[in-house]
Amino acid sequence: MDSVDRQILDLLRTNARMPVSEIARRVGLSGAPVSRRIERLEADGVIQGYVALVSEAAVGELDAFTEIRLTGDTDTREIEEIARQVPEVQQYYTIAGDPDALVRFRVRNVEHLQQVVNAIRRTGIVAGTKTLIVMSTWDRTRTLD
């Protein structure tokens, strides 16, 4: 991976629907080599997919993060397996220090959030949680031109 590949990735992170011709113009190449580079990045698993960015506020949903502290010598893979089975979990991170894990949920409302967090707390491997509701967001990689 060279600096041109990184430039291409940065452009795709900003707008995955950017035409190859525009990417080529911005990185100083013609369209064919840029297309080949993108295909290679996809084949190598660097680019794992493309997504639509949705305004959660416009859909009427909210995002929240929950810090999870596990009991005793619980292996973090146990909570990961639980997280994979909960459809409201959008992302799961194991982290160094206290807490043990961080989960990002997408839910309909606060009541729904409470139900989901309570279900995870009842698994028997969670010693404690702290939930933070997202008020607003900004993401450097998701700022469209």
Side-chain angles (χ1 to χ4, degrees):
M1 179 165 325
D2 62 15
S3 64
V4 174
D5 288 339
R6 293 184 195 285
Q7 288 175 20
I8 291 169
L9 290 173
D10 286 343
L11 291 168
L12 290 172
R13 281 184 180 119
T14 302
N15 181 358
R17 295 184 66 178
M18 184 179 291
V20 170
S21 60
E22 178 63 16
I23 295 171
R25 184 187 69 73
R26 291 189 186 197
V27 300
L29 295 174
S30 64
V34 169
S35 289
R36 284 193 298 274
R37 283 173 179 261
I38 292 171
E39 288 170 4
R40 179 180 40 80
L41 290 167
E42 290 169 345
D44 291 348
V46 175
I47 297 174
Q48 297 179 342
Y50 299 90
V51 299
L53 302 178
V54 177
S55 167
E56 305 313 327
V59 180
E61 296 177 330
L62 61 91
D63 278 337
F65 289 88
T66 297
E67 296 177 356
I68 297 176
R69 283 171 302 292
L70 300 172
T71 59
D73 60 353
T74 301
D75 190 316
T76 56
R77 289 175 287 205
E78 290 182 54
I79 192 70
E80 181 177 349
E81 286 306 312
I82 292 167
R84 289 178 184 276
Q85 296 171 19
V86 176
E88 293 85 356
V89 172
Q90 301 301 301
Q91 293 170 312
Y92 167 82
Y93 306 91
T94 55
I95 53 180
D98 182 31
D100 299 300
L102 183 65
V103 177
R104 184 172 72 88
F105 296 109
R106 180 167 300 126
V107 293
R108 294 183 303 276
N109 51 41
V110 174
E111 182 180 337
H112 184 205
L113 175 62
Q114 185 175 12
Q115 292 168 356
V116 173
V117 172
N118 284 342
I120 288 178
R121 289 178 62 99
R122 285 191 295 269
T123 62
I125 64 170
V126 174
T129 63
K130 177 181 176 183
T131 299
L132 309 159
I133 296 174
V134 175
M135 303 291 286
S136 64
T137 63
W138 178 82
D139 183 335
R140 181 174 311 282
T141 64
R142 296 180 178 190
T143 305
L144 300 178
D145 289 337

